[in-house]
Amino acid sequence: MASLVHQEFQQGLREANLASFKVGDIADLDDDGKSRRTGTVWTASAHIITAIIGSGVLSLAWAMAQLGWITGIATLCIFSCITLYTSGFLADSYRSPDPVTGNRNHTYMEAVKANLGGNMYKICGLIQYTYMGGLAVGYTITVSISMVSILKSNCFRERGRGAPCKYSLNPYMIGMGIIEILLSQIPNLHKMSWLSFIAAIMSFGYASIGLGLSLAKISSGKGERTTLTGVEIGVNLSEADKLWTMLRAIGDVAFACSYSGVLIEIQDTLKSSPPENKTMKKASMIAILISTAFYMMSGCFGYAALGNNAPGNMLTDFGFLEPFWLIDLANIFVIVHLVGAYQVLSQPVLNAVESWARMRWPESRFVTNEYTLDIIGKKTIRVNLLRLTWRTVYVVIITVVAMGFPFFNDVLALLGAVGYWPMSVYFPVEMHIARKKIQRQTVRWFSLQLMNLVCLLVSLAAVCGAIQGLSHGLQTYKPFSF
C-alpha cells in the first residue's frame, strides 16, 4: 500500500511539474519530472570530499598512535579500498532495474527498496537517518571544540601557557545550532554546490596546515617517539585498556572513510549524460584517492611528529604549540567546513520527513505553501512553514544531544562503527548480489559474504570499544554545565 501511494505521489509530482511548465520549457525537465540536473564529476567530487574529509582527519594521528605503524596504515588502506569497491555497487543501484536506462532512485532508501524490498527499506531508513543524525552531533561537538581552542590559544598567548584558560563547550554548541537553523532553510542539495565547494576548500586548508605543522616538527628533529605497535603496555596502560583504545581507533578510521550514506543523494544531482553511474564512479575514485592520500599523510606525519602521546584532536588539544595564529586559522577552517558538511549530511533526513508530509497532507497549506520574503536589496527568500518548523526542531535535538555527550574520539568511533558496515558494505553488497542475480554458494557469492562478515565483526568490536570509552567519560562529566 505504501509503495502504491509513493508511486502515485511521484506520478502526481511529475504531472504537476509538467503542468507548471510551458511547452517550450519541457526540455528543462528530467525524465522524472524534476528540474534538469546540472551536476558534474567535479561537483560530485566536491560533495564527496565535503562529506568524507571531516573531523575524522583530526583524530588520525591519535588512531595511528593506538594501532602503530603496521596496523594503522593497513587499517586505513583496507577501509578506503572497501569503500571505493562498494561505492561502485551503489552507483549502479541509482537506476533500477537497468543502471543506465532504469527508473531513478532518488535516495539511498529508494535504492534499497527497489533492489531488496520493503522490509530492508525500513531497516535501511532507521540506520541511515540515525547515522546522519549522529554525524550532525559529531560535527556540532567538533565545531564547538575548535571554537574553544581558538579562545584558549588567545588566552595562552596573552597570559602564558600555564594560565587557567577554561571554557564550556555548551554556549558554542548553541551558537552552532543557531547557524545551522538558518542554513537548513536551503531546500536541498541541488542548491548547495557553492557550500560544498567552500567546505571542500576549507577541508584541504586545515588538513594541509596539520600536515605542514607535522612536517615542520619532523624536519626540525623534534619528532616524538613512535613504535611499530603504537602505545606500549606498561604502568599506565593495561592490556585491556590497550585493546579498548585500539578498537576505538579502528572506529575512528572507519568514520573517516564513510560517506556511502549520501552517495545516492549526491548522484541524484548529476546530469544524465554521460550516464550517472559512470560519472559517479569517476567522482568516487577522484574523491577517495584524494581523501586517502590526505588521511595517510595526516595520520602518518602526525604520528611521526607527535608520537605515542598524540592527542585525540591534533589541532585542538595543542599537540602543536606554535605558531598560534596558524593553529587558529586551521580551527577556523574546521568550523567553516563542518558547518557546510552538517548540511550536506543532514539533507537526506530533512527531505525525507518533508516528502512524507507532502504525501500525507497534500492539501495542507502549512505543508505545501511557499512564501516569498524580501530581504536586503532585491534579494528574496522562499519560506515554507513545515520546513521552518521541522528543521528548527531537528537542529535543536541534535544540539541538545551533543551537549549531553561531548566526547570527540568516542563519538567518532561509535559513529564509524555503527554506520560503516551497514551503509558502506552490507546494503551495497546485497543490492549488487540481487541486481546481478549472483547464485548462492558460488565463488563470487562466498567472496562477497566473507567481506560482509569480516566487516561486521570489526564493526561490532569497534562498537564495544566506543561504548566502553563513553561510559568511562560519563563517570566524570557533568552534562549541560556552563
Side-chain angles (χ1 to χ4, degrees):
M1 181 66 180
S3 177
L4 179 61
V5 171
H6 178 74
Q7 292 173 8
E8 291 176 350
F9 173 70
Q10 293 294 334
Q11 179 63 23
L13 180 62
R14 175 175 170 79
E15 290 174 356
N17 282 332
L18 289 173
S20 66
F21 278 72
K22 299 177 182 178
V23 174
D25 292 334
I26 297 298
D28 293 329
L29 296 178
D30 266 327
D31 55 351
D32 59 348
K34 292 187 176 182
S35 299
R36 187 167 296 279
R37 295 158 176 83
T38 59
T40 66
V41 65
W42 299 113
T43 61
S45 297
H47 282 312
I48 295 171
I49 291 171
T50 299
I52 200 171
I53 301 184
S55 52
V57 72
L58 304 176
S59 69
L60 288 179
W62 175 85
M64 288 289 294
Q66 311 314 309
L67 297 171
W69 285 111
I70 298 174
T71 307
I73 293 174
T75 301
L76 180 56
C77 289
I78 289 170
F79 276 123
S80 296
C81 289
I82 292 173
T83 301
L84 179 60
Y85 181 56
T86 57
S87 67
F89 298 163
L90 277 178
D92 287 335
S93 301
Y94 172 63
R95 288 181 181 268
S96 299
D98 185 88
V100 177
T101 61
N103 295 324
R104 296 176 187 267
N105 298 309
H106 302 98
T107 66
Y108 195 113
M109 288 178 60
E110 287 185 21
V112 170
K113 186 175 185 178
N115 289 280
L116 300 178
N119 290 331
M120 284 296 182
Y121 165 80
K122 295 175 184 177
I123 295 172
C124 174
L126 177 63
I127 294 171
Q128 183 185 16
Y129 295 152
T130 300
Y131 180 58
M132 296 300 177
L135 288 175
V137 170
Y139 287 172
T140 301
I141 294 170
T142 309
V143 166
S144 64
I145 290 174
S146 288
M147 290 179 177
V148 166
S149 178
I150 293 172
L151 294 176
K152 285 184 177 179
S153 174
N154 293 332
C155 176
F156 290 149
R157 184 167 62 248
E158 293 175 0
R159 301 168 57 187
R161 181 153 298 278
C165 301
K166 296 183 179 181
Y167 302 90
S168 171
L169 296 177
N170 290 331
Y172 304 98
M173 291 188 189
I174 293 172
M176 169 71 167
I178 293 171
I179 293 171
E180 294 300 344
I181 287 173
L182 297 176
L183 287 177
S184 68
Q185 298 309 306
I186 299 173
N188 51 53
L189 276 176
H190 303 282
K191 306 294 185 182
M192 297 178 68
S193 292
W194 62 272
L195 188 59
S196 284
F197 275 117
I198 293 173
I201 292 170
M202 295 296 104
S203 67
F204 281 120
Y206 67 74
S208 298
I209 290 173
L211 178 60
L213 290 171
S214 299
L215 286 172
K217 188 168 184 176
I218 295 169
S219 62
S220 67
K222 297 179 181 179
E224 303 292 337
R225 179 174 177 268
T226 66
T227 54
L228 286 177
T229 58
V231 179
E232 298 171 313
I233 297 171
V235 177
N236 297 320
L237 185 69
S238 67
E239 292 183 1
D241 289 338
K242 170 71 173 177
L243 177 61
W244 289 124
T245 56
M246 287 183 67
L247 293 178
R248 292 202 295 274
I250 291 172
D252 279 7
V253 175
F255 174 82
C257 296
S258 298
Y259 79 99
S260 299
V262 292
L263 187 147
I264 297 292
E265 283 79 359
I266 292 173
Q267 192 166 345
D268 193 45
T269 67
L270 298 175
K271 56 187 178 182
S272 55
S273 180
E276 300 94 349
N277 63 329
K278 293 184 178 180
T279 302
M280 196 65 198
K281 288 177 182 179
K282 187 181 295 185
S284 294
M285 174 72 78
I286 293 170
I288 291 175
L289 287 177
I290 291 173
S291 62
T292 302
F294 263 88
Y295 283 170
M296 193 65 71
M297 290 188 292
S298 296
C300 291
F301 289 133
Y303 179 41
L306 301 174
N308 288 339
N309 294 319
N313 184 322
M314 65 159 55
L315 292 178
T316 62
D317 291 334
F318 297 98
F320 300 105
L321 304 180
E322 299 285 350
F324 283 114
W325 68 268
L326 188 60
I327 297 171
D328 287 351
L329 181 63
N331 279 300
I332 291 171
F333 287 167
V334 170
I335 293 167
V336 174
H337 170 236
L338 295 186
V339 165
Y342 183 114
Q343 288 301 314
V344 171
L345 292 169
S346 294
Q347 285 297 321
V349 185
L350 301 173
N351 285 323
V353 172
E354 291 160 14
S355 296
W356 172 82
R358 286 195 296 269
M359 182 173 60
R360 180 67 177 80
W361 298 290
E363 303 299 327
S364 170
R365 286 188 285 183
F366 177 83
V367 172
T368 60
N369 277 19
E370 296 276 347
Y371 301 93
T372 301
L373 298 179
D374 294 326
I375 54 177
I376 300 173
K378 296 182 179 180
K379 299 289 185 180
T380 62
I381 57 173
R382 295 177 66 82
V383 176
N384 172 269
L385 294 180
L386 170 65
R387 185 165 64 239
L388 179 63
T389 304
W390 151 238
R391 297 190 179 205
T392 300
V393 170
Y394 172 83
V395 174
V396 169
I397 292 172
I398 294 299
T399 304
V400 170
V401 173
M403 291 169 67
F405 300 92
F407 308 109
F408 179 75
N409 289 99
D410 297 324
V411 168
L412 294 193
L414 183 61
L415 290 173
V418 169
Y420 187 84
W421 173 70
M423 303 304 295
S424 297
V425 182
Y426 176 75
F427 287 120
V429 166
E430 292 301 317
M431 286 193 286
H432 177 70
I433 290 173
R435 274 194 329 98
K436 294 293 186 179
K437 296 181 172 59
I438 298 174
Q439 296 297 315
R440 285 176 170 269
Q441 300 182 356
T442 60
V443 173
R444 180 150 179 77
W445 185 87
F446 272 118
S447 299
L448 291 170
Q449 295 299 354
L450 178 61
M451 180 178 69
N452 229 340
L453 177 61
V454 171
C455 290
L456 170 61
L457 294 176
V458 171
S459 294
L460 289 175
V463 166
C464 293
I467 292 175
Q468 190 272 343
L470 284 172
S471 64
H472 185 268
L474 286 172
Q475 292 176 5
T476 56
Y477 174 69
K478 296 180 180 180
F480 307 109
S481 59
F482 284 82

